[in-house]
Amino acid sequence: MKNNKNLIIPIAFIGMMFFAIGFALGINSFLIPVLNKTLEISSGQSYLILAATFSTFIIFGYPASRTIAAIGYKKTMALSFVLFAFAFLLFIPSAKYENFTLFLVASFMSGIGNTFLQASVNPYITILGPMESAAKRMSIMGICNKLAWPVSPIFLAFVIGKNTDDTVISDLFLPFYIIIGVFLLLGVISLLAPLPEVKAAGEDEEEDTTDSGKSIFDFPHLLLGALALFFYVGVETVALGTLVDYASWLGLPNASSYALISPIGMVVGYICGILFIPKYISQSNALIICSILGIVGSILVVLTPPDLSIWFIALVALGCSLMWPALWPLAISDLGKFTKTGSSFLVMAIAGGAVIPVIYGFTKDVVGAQSSYWIAPPLFIYILYYGLKGHKIRKAR
């Protein structure tokens, strides 16, 4: 499995799945302004769509890891696409009856599918090859994932034949029928894909041979990393999920086209990760650099003129780009037989995407969209701490 040529086919299939994750999450950035306008709800209420999607990670993160242990990575991936398809089926009656509660239920179901897929593809790609180059593989996956975010609103706008500002809930039927078919097909493809089962070093050992203890709580670097991941996913979801809404708030024309800003920034970062990690820069140093970029970018979003500020979200996104690729291997290193359990902790931390954007949404109702981005700098500061020191902390012998 260490041979790069042997990794090409598995990486291609896992990349397809990361694209599917990004596409499913990107749908929310289109729905938020549409629901906000059509149902006449507040911004805070509309961002509950993201809360419903991401809250599932903390609820189903551990069950997902147990499912992987029972049936393997590949079958869990296939199952996740079935869950996704059922979720998109629920969006149809939600649109028919224009019922916000049903939209939340459908988003929650989509989050369950997302949880199972994230729980399988992230540890899989991390331990597919050498740990020191895990961030490089994760960067490739990041490109697949983040390019899919803007595809969703652009695809929905294309199929519907209207701009975001002109779209109403009843326009959503056809695109969701198409999405259901595609995700069922992806489930079949993932089940047939030539993906070997992989295990982390020491995962099969009956006795714990690591330097830490006998419990997952004996790994401070994992627990601190989970909190860093919680903050990172939250602020990245703000950067990715608020662009269309922010452009609409600013009164900019063709708001859905602004969904490209953050993915472009992230792709630039991922390309740098592919080129420079681990040959020229370590995963921890990449995290430090990205944290500083995130701090600077988020401050500029708040302090610059509104029409200019939206473009600095690309710098925030650039800061976010290598955080996932760097945080994941730093947090699960040296876990041995606790690797799957540790991975479930990190998957549960994705619930940050349920909390931070909702705080942003309700803050927007009070102080406006631009000032609401003040929530980002403190989160980046903690991630900077983890890159500098937190990932090095091991329990004293």
Side-chain angles (χ1 to χ4, degrees), residues 32 36 41-50 234 238 241-242 245 249 353-369 371-373 375:
I32 287 170
N36 186 220
I41 58 179
S42 70
S43 294
Q45 289 175 304
S46 64
Y47 277 92
L48 289 174
I49 289 289
L50 286 172
V238 168
T242 64
D245 186 40
W249 185 81
V355 177
I356 308 302
V358 173
I359 295 174
Y360 168 89
F362 281 106
T363 305
K364 177 190 168 189
D365 288 331
V366 178
V367 301
S371 296
S372 298
Y373 287 100
I375 66 172

Side-chain angles (χ1 to χ4, degrees), residues 12 53 91 105 120 144 152 185 226 236 285 333 396:
T53 301
F91 274 114
V105 172
S120 53
C144 298
S152 298
L185 177 61
E236 181 189 71
N285 284 337
S333 65

Side-chain angles (χ1 to χ4, degrees), residues 97-174:
Y97 296 108
E98 298 190 359
N99 188 300
F100 183 60
T101 301
L102 285 178
F103 270 107
L104 292 178
V105 172
S107 296
F108 185 81
M109 192 67 206
S110 176
I112 296 174
N114 203 341
T115 301
F116 277 76
L117 190 53
Q118 296 259 27
S120 53
V121 295
N122 283 293
Y124 187 93
I125 198 67
T126 301
I127 61 180
L128 183 63
M131 187 62 75
E132 63 270 15
S133 61
K136 177 179 290 189
R137 295 189 299 279
M138 293 290 276
S139 294
I140 296 171
M141 297 302 104
I143 292 175
C144 298
N145 178 264
K146 296 311 180 294
L147 285 179
W149 274 78
V151 171
S152 298
I154 292 171
F155 166 79
L156 290 169
F158 173 77
V159 174
I160 293 169
K162 297 180 181 179
N163 292 326
T164 308
D165 294 339
D166 301 322
T167 300
V168 294
I169 291 177
S170 58
D171 295 323
L172 298 174
F173 297 125
L174 178 59

Side-chain angles (χ1 to χ4, degrees), residues 240-285:
L240 285 165
T242 64
L243 278 164
V244 177
D245 186 40
Y246 189 35
S248 298
W249 185 81
L250 292 173
L252 300 175
N254 199 15
S256 61
S257 64
Y258 287 87
L260 286 165
I261 291 176
S262 285
I264 289 173
M266 289 187 174
V267 168
V268 170
Y270 288 135
I271 291 173
C272 292
I274 294 169
L275 294 176
F276 301 128
I277 299 175
K279 186 174 182 180
Y280 301 106
I281 186 173
S282 68
Q283 293 170 154
S284 58
N285 284 337

Side-chain angles (χ1 to χ4, degrees), residues 30 51 85 126 188 212 239 295 354 390:
F30 187 89
T126 301
V188 175
S212 299
I295 294 168

Side-chain angles (χ1 to χ4, degrees), residues 5 33 51 91 104 148 162 172 182 192 203 237:
K5 292 183 179 179
F91 274 114
L104 292 178
K162 297 180 181 179
L172 298 174
V182 171
L192 300 176
E203 194 171 339
T237 305

Side-chain angles (χ1 to χ4, degrees), residues 5-16:
K5 292 183 179 179
N6 293 337
L7 299 180
I8 293 175
I9 293 177
I11 285 175
F13 277 100
I14 300 299
M16 175 191 69

